[in-house]
Amino acid sequence: MLKPGYTNLDPDWLAPLRERVATEVPEVTTWIYVDSVGHLVLSKIVVPRDLRSQGLGTRVMELLIAEADRQAATMTLSPTREFGSGLHRLRAFYRRFGFSVNGGRIKDYTTAQSMIRLPRTHPQP
């Protein structure tokens, strides 16, 4: 039986990533999934208000990005004010990790998410 929120369509690497994030940064609520075209989608990240500015969100993003890059997966997300942070602040936070607005000439029409990050590849030694 699958855990709630998991599907048979999840790639093999997604469950271990979820577990790693939950283990390493248990204070942060994170919802991630892989969409139908293979993008790693950050659906929700909530750092409790009293724990903000301590690097917890940064650590979650480092874990997600490292795995997305290993899997050559594009990451997508749509910042919202729903959990108490301003959109300008959130967009600036995500830009630090290589996200850009999904629009204009570079628009990826395979996703409705408003920000996107292409995987970085590193030469293998």
Side-chain angles (χ1 to χ4, degrees), residues 60-123:
V60 169
M61 293 305 296
E62 289 169 348
L63 292 168
L64 297 178
I65 286 169
E67 189 62 29
D69 287 350
R70 264 192 295 282
Q71 301 301 328
T74 295
M75 283 189 67
T76 62
L77 55 86
S78 290
T80 70
R81 293 184 199 134
E82 184 177 356
F83 304 107
S85 290
L87 286 179
H88 179 74
R89 182 174 179 257
L90 288 170
R91 286 184 188 119
F93 175 75
Y94 294 124
R95 280 189 187 106
R96 285 184 17 219
F97 298 99
F99 284 85
S100 59
V101 173
N102 185 27
R105 290 182 288 156
I106 63 165
K107 172 100 174 135
D108 181 337
Y109 289 96
T110 65
T111 182
Q113 303 294 324
S114 66
M115 294 188 83
I116 192 164
R117 179 188 181 275
L118 299 177
R120 308 294 195 269
T121 56
H122 303 287

Side-chain angles (χ1 to χ4, degrees), residues 1-108:
M1 175 169 228
L2 293 169
K3 288 184 178 181
Y6 291 61
T7 73
N8 289 327
L9 302 176
D10 286 348
D12 293 340
W13 54 267
L14 188 58
L17 176 59
R18 285 178 173 143
E19 297 298 328
R20 184 168 182 204
V21 170
T23 300
E24 291 193 27
V25 198
E27 307 86 352
V28 178
T29 301
T30 307
W31 291 359
I32 57 173
Y33 65 93
V34 174
D35 67 14
S36 62
V37 295
H39 296 151
L40 176 60
V41 181
L42 175 57
S43 177
K44 180 179 184 178
I45 180 171
V46 181
V47 178
R49 198 175 291 277
D50 60 329
L51 296 177
R52 292 181 185 168
S53 299
Q54 296 181 26
L56 298 174
T58 295
R59 182 63 187 141
V60 169
M61 293 305 296
E62 289 169 348
L63 292 168
L64 297 178
I65 286 169
E67 189 62 29
D69 287 350
R70 264 192 295 282
Q71 301 301 328
T74 295
M75 283 189 67
T76 62
L77 55 86
S78 290
T80 70
R81 293 184 199 134
E82 184 177 356
F83 304 107
S85 290
L87 286 179
H88 179 74
R89 182 174 179 257
L90 288 170
R91 286 184 188 119
F93 175 75
Y94 294 124
R95 280 189 187 106
R96 285 184 17 219
F97 298 99
F99 284 85
S100 59
V101 173
N102 185 27
R105 290 182 288 156
I106 63 165
K107 172 100 174 135
D108 181 337

